[in-house]
Amino acid sequence: MAPNLMTKKAAAPKGNTLRVKPEEKVKPEANAKNKGFSLFKWLDKYTNVDFLFQEGVPTKYLPHVLFLTGITLFYIGNTHYAEKTIRKIAKIKVETEDLRADYTTLKSDYMGASKQSEVARNVAPLGLVESSSPPYQVEVAADEY
């Protein structure tokens, strides 16, 4: 029979039971060596949370921890999204300023090119000249149609 098909029978589920702490023997020379400052020793000294785990893992705090973890992840994600949006806005603002400058330039070029004197100068090579006589109105009798 293949070894991957052989399985052990499941044992009875383990419950939270009181752990027996083994007696620790403190070596005197170990204490003599560690006279310097250590951040982790300081944290362990002032943030002792061993009392929470004396009777096993405290599952009664699990919903609160999961809720705070979810809020923290949402906050981090929201911060990243906001920063990305701010970068997009700044990029679009620069692009808008460039397009506005292009529009202003093109508008002034068009206004200059559409002057009567410019149009007359541009059509002169085609043989068109500016009329020197004023326009007149053609009148048609109403009964003609």
Side-chain angles (χ1 to χ4, degrees), residues 58-78:
T59 57
K60 66 181 181 179
Y61 298 119
L62 192 61
H64 301 294
V65 170
L66 290 176
F67 178 71
L68 290 176
T69 303
I71 287 177
T72 304
L73 289 176
F74 176 76
Y75 179 75
I76 291 170
N78 193 25

Side-chain angles (χ1 to χ4, degrees), residues 97-112:
E97 291 298 323
D98 290 343
L99 290 174
R100 183 174 291 141
D102 290 344
Y103 167 75
T104 306
T105 305
L106 290 174
K107 184 178 177 183
S108 67
D109 289 345
Y110 174 71
M111 293 298 274

Side-chain angles (χ1 to χ4, degrees), residues 18-76:
L18 183 64
R19 279 194 242 167
V20 179
K21 288 187 177 181
E23 294 295 324
E24 296 180 8
K25 295 181 182 178
V26 179
K27 296 181 182 178
E29 64 257 6
N31 287 339
K33 285 183 183 178
N34 299 331
K35 289 187 178 181
F37 175 76
S38 173
L39 176 66
F40 294 108
K41 284 184 184 179
W42 182 80
L43 284 173
D44 189 35
K45 181 179 177 182
Y46 290 108
T47 59
N48 190 4
V49 291
D50 290 338
F51 69 91
L52 289 174
F53 299 101
Q54 284 178 352
E55 297 177 6
V57 178
T59 57
K60 66 181 181 179
Y61 298 119
L62 192 61
H64 301 294
V65 170
L66 290 176
F67 178 71
L68 290 176
T69 303
I71 287 177
T72 304
L73 289 176
F74 176 76
Y75 179 75
I76 291 170

